[in-house]
Every structure is written in structure tokens, then in C-alpha cells.
Amino acid sequence: MTLPNLGVAIVSFNSGSVILDCLESLLASQNVRLNIVVVDNKSSDDTVAMLRSWADGSAPYRNPGDLPFDLQTAAKPLPLDGQATGEIGHRVQLIEAEINGGFAAGVNLGLAALAEDETLDRFWILNPDSAVPATTAAAFATSPAPDFSMIGGRVLYLDDPDRIQIDGGTINKKTGVTNNINQGQSHADTPSPKVADMDFITGASMVVSRAFYEAAGPMPESYFLYYEEVDWALKRGDMPMYYCPDGVVYHRAGTSIGSVTPWRPAAPFSQYFLHRNRVRFVRKFFPKSVTVALGFSVAKAAKLLLKGYPVEAFTILSASFGGRPSAKIRARVAEAAQDLAFK
């Protein structure tokens, strides 16, 4: 039996506490052969050492016990140089980036490596703080999608597995604000979204075609963090997007950068890049709406201030109006990468 092939690009940054759940669940995928490339974006923790110890079997994987599906652990040792392993022949390659050039830069390193494999015509970009059921990868690999640009699926909160995080996204062309379709709704009770309602697919779980990658070029790197996939989606031209109902992913939201969750506002580091890039995106694609986008920033900052989040409020204003990030935000990025992040 010839199995479909699917490339997987994972960008890790200080992801040591979560990435093994992602890799073990991918290696348990059935009815598909995966070529997995992990790009470590110059982690400052022990992510790389932990990955190597896990792969050689000296640090056995321990199931955290909160995964919403059964998981069979992959046999060890396994190579991290792209050699086939196991009965199915999944492959794992670890690439260590020389500098943390941002999310898109890491994605592009992974896609470039995957593109060298001529058997691959689909590339799955997946967050390291995700875990996937054994059937998800095969669903993405075989989903009928002629001449597609991107395929999305359903991303669920791992700690509340019946709650949807995103089913695809929309863009407010006045403010630049993005919206997660069906966020907070019940997975069991919510039908698949209409593709016509989508403007983009989340970068947390996005399958792109080789044809789109070659036509649109790499993911834009100028944002460093946030809005890369939104910008990229607007470069698809006439190539359609699709939705894969069985493309289910469970996501530990905001584990590395402090993204917003239903129970807390985003951390200042996340707020800075989110609102800087929202305004940058509007200037690029909808320049007549910049004043409205800045007005939204003021209103958002005032709302957070009234709720008792002054640091977050000031961060939004500074990011939106071209101010410098705080020393604490700059300190989250390695000195060698700061020119890239804060240019």
C-alpha cells in the first residue's frame, strides 16, 4: 500500500515543556508518511538538548496525562537527521537556526528543507505546543482540494477540548483586527465553517500547497511575530482555500509568547507585536484605514487601563504609534536578533 506523504514544519522557541507531546502525537499518525522538520529558533532554554535526549532514548517521554486521545509512544532511538524510522517510515529532522529571526523566518527554513523532497506537494505548518490525533495528518494529506493555496482545520483548546479556538479567521479591513471564527463554541455542537467566510488560516495549523509556496514565495518575515499568515493569505490570488473537517488539532494556547486566552489579556510582549503588526498590516493593504486602526488602539488601551492593566495599555499605544518597546520586551529577544525584531 502506497501511503500519502505530508511535510510538517514546526518552529520551536523555548518549547521544551510542550514539543514532545507534539512530536510523539505526530509519530503516532496513521495512514500517512510524514517528513517532519523541527526548526529551533535559537532557544535559550534546554529545548535542543532535550530533543536530542528524547530521540536517543536517554530521556524517555512521559505522557502528561491531559491529552484528549490515546497515544502510543514512538520507539527509540530515532534519528534527527531526516532518516526514515519506524514501520511507516516517518522522518524527523532538527535544524538549529543561527539566529531567532522570528516565526516566519523559522517557517521558511523548514519549508525550504521540505521543498527539497520532490515527493511532497503539501506542507503542514504546526505549532510546537499542539498535539494531534492519529487521523489528523492523513486527513490533511488526502483532503480533496484541487489547486488550493491553504487548507485549515479545527483548532481546539487542549485544556478544554470541546472548546474551539479557531476555525479559520476573518479580517476587519478598517481596524486590521482579526477574528477567530467559532471561537469559544462547542466542538461537538458546531458545524464546519463556510470557506467563503474565511480570510486566512491560522499559522498554528495551516497546510499550504507547493504550488502556492512557489507562486507566493516564502512567508513574509518583516513582522517577526503575528500577522505573517494573514499577509501571506492575501497573496493567494485566485488559488482557493479549503477547510478539512477532520483536520483537528489540540493547542496549548499562548505557552511561549503569552498570547491572549479567554481568561486573561495577552502579555505585554505579545501585545507589542500584535498591535505594531496590526497597524503595519493596515498601512500595507488598507492605507486609507490607518486612522481608524489607530483609533482602535486608543480605545483598546483605555479599556485595558480601566480593567487594571496599565502596562498592557501603554504597550498597545507605544506599539501602534511607533514607540520603542520597553526594556522588558526587548530583553525577551536575544540581542543578536533585536535589529530584526524591532526594526
Side-chain angles (χ1 to χ4, degrees):
M1 176 182 178
T2 301
L3 295 176
N5 293 328
L6 181 65
V8 186
I10 301 170
V11 179
S12 66
F13 178 73
N14 293 352
S15 306
S17 64
V18 292
I19 193 171
L20 294 188
D21 299 334
C22 181
L23 291 173
E24 287 282 0
S25 64
L26 284 171
L27 291 170
S29 296
Q30 301 169 357
N31 301 316
V32 64
R33 184 173 292 111
L34 300 180
N35 184 344
I36 304 165
V37 173
V38 177
V39 178
D40 185 76
N41 251 355
K42 202 69 176 178
S43 290
S44 57
D45 67 357
D46 63 347
T47 296
V48 171
M50 182 274 303
L51 283 171
R52 296 193 182 282
S53 297
W54 162 77
D56 67 22
S58 60
Y61 170 70
R62 292 179 174 82
N63 190 316
D66 62 351
L67 300 181
F69 51 83
D70 293 330
L71 180 61
Q72 182 176 353
T73 304
K76 311 294 184 312
L78 61 85
L80 292 178
D81 59 0
Q83 297 182 49
T85 184
E87 291 184 10
I88 293 179
H90 296 314
R91 290 178 282 168
V92 183
Q93 179 181 359
L94 173 62
I95 297 176
E96 297 181 56
E98 296 180 358
I99 189 172
N100 180 5
F103 174 69
V107 166
N108 290 336
L109 283 174
L111 292 178
L114 291 171
E116 294 179 1
D117 183 348
E118 296 181 355
T119 69
L120 297 175
D121 59 9
R122 299 183 181 195
F123 311 121
W124 183 13
I125 299 164
L126 181 65
N127 269 18
D129 52 355
S130 300
V132 302
T135 57
T136 294
F140 276 138
T142 59
S143 176
D147 302 320
F148 77 94
S149 58
M150 302 172 174
I151 303 175
R154 176 160 288 177
V155 180
L156 303 169
Y157 290 105
L158 192 147
D159 59 356
D160 189 357
D162 187 53
R163 184 185 295 188
I164 299 169
Q165 181 182 7
I166 186 170
D167 258 352
T170 61
I171 307 165
N172 184 314
K173 296 179 182 179
K174 296 293 185 181
T175 63
V177 172
T178 59
N179 178 65
N180 290 7
I181 295 173
N182 291 330
Q183 185 172 33
Q185 300 300 308
S186 165
H187 170 45
D189 299 335
T190 305
S192 298
K194 297 178 181 178
V195 176
D197 294 336
M198 295 182 189
D199 293 319
F200 67 94
I201 304 296
T202 176
S205 176
M206 167 202 296
V207 176
V208 300
S209 67
R210 180 183 287 271
F212 167 78
Y213 173 62
E214 293 177 348
M219 184 179 279
E221 298 183 9
S222 60
Y223 295 95
F224 192 78
L225 181 66
Y226 294 132
Y227 275 84
E228 305 94 333
E229 74 270 42
V230 186
D231 184 310
W232 211 23
L234 296 191
K235 296 180 179 179
R236 67 185 184 274
D238 295 331
M239 302 177 73
M241 293 191 298
Y242 288 87
Y243 182 85
C244 176
D246 295 320
V248 174
V249 167
Y250 295 92
H251 185 211
R252 299 183 190 275
T255 57
S256 63
I257 55 177
S259 300
V260 65
T261 70
W263 48 89
R264 60 162 170 76
F269 181 82
S270 179
Q271 295 276 18
Y272 175 82
F273 285 103
L274 179 63
H275 291 280
R276 183 197 71 172
N277 292 343
R278 175 178 56 81
V279 174
R280 180 177 290 182
F281 173 81
V282 171
R283 288 187 188 279
K284 179 176 180 179
F285 289 101
F286 312 110
K288 294 181 180 180
S289 298
V290 170
T291 301
V292 178
L294 293 172
F296 175 87
S297 298
V298 173
K300 181 71 173 179
K303 184 176 180 180
L304 284 177
L305 187 62
L306 291 172
K307 288 185 174 182
Y309 296 99
V311 175
E312 289 80 357
F314 174 79
T315 299
I316 290 175
L317 294 176
S318 177
S320 300
F321 288 89
R324 287 175 56 83
S326 69
K328 287 186 177 180
I329 292 174
R330 293 185 68 89
R332 290 283 303 275
V333 178
E335 186 174 352
Q338 288 187 6
D339 285 346
L340 291 171
F342 303 115
K343 62 185 177 181

